[in-house]
Amino acid sequence: MTKTIMLACAGGFSTSLIVKHIQAAAAKEKLDYKVFATAAVNAEEELESEHPSVLMLGPQVRYMLPDLKKQLDIPVQVINMQDYGLMNGAHILHDAMKLMGDE
């Protein structure tokens, strides 16, 4: 079963770019993950419809972390600000993999 990595940020635009970098890093390592991004305002409905394995938050919505950790039964983490700024898809992918127990 393919695992799903969901990214959420303020508008969904910056994380959409990061999704491409994560997908490229996963392809390079021959890993099969579904990766998608959404705006934080849509996160709840995306969580219900997509059932992701892990949720990674953009640094600008880190305030959502405590509530989401209480509500969800999947790992939730804020993306490292430096990795986010540099769009380091490989680092973000490996952080997500650790949270899912795949590394």
Side-chain angles (χ1 to χ4, degrees), residues 29-101:
E29 296 184 41
K30 296 179 177 35
L31 299 170
D32 184 27
Y33 290 104
K34 177 181 177 184
V35 186
F36 74 97
T38 189
V41 296
N42 300 327
E44 196 171 312
E45 65 189 46
E46 292 287 352
L47 285 161
E48 286 180 24
S49 66
E50 296 292 332
H51 307 288
S53 309
V54 65
L55 172 59
M56 306 291 285
L57 299 173
Q60 68 274 50
V61 293
R62 71 177 343 110
Y63 66 89
M64 297 173 69
L65 184 66
D67 286 342
L68 287 170
K69 278 193 166 196
K70 286 180 207 166
Q71 294 171 14
L72 302 175
D73 59 354
I74 60 169
V76 185
Q77 180 175 303
V78 176
I79 298 169
N80 174 287
M81 194 174 294
Q82 186 172 1
D83 290 339
Y84 191 88
L86 296 173
M87 299 212 171
N88 191 330
H91 280 182
I92 298 166
L93 171 63
H94 285 276
D95 283 347
M97 289 172 65
K98 285 178 195 164
L99 290 169
M100 293 183 289

Side-chain angles (χ1 to χ4, degrees), residues 17-29:
L17 295 171
I18 291 173
V19 164
K20 292 179 182 164
H21 291 274
I22 294 171
Q23 288 170 329
K28 187 175 180 181
E29 296 184 41

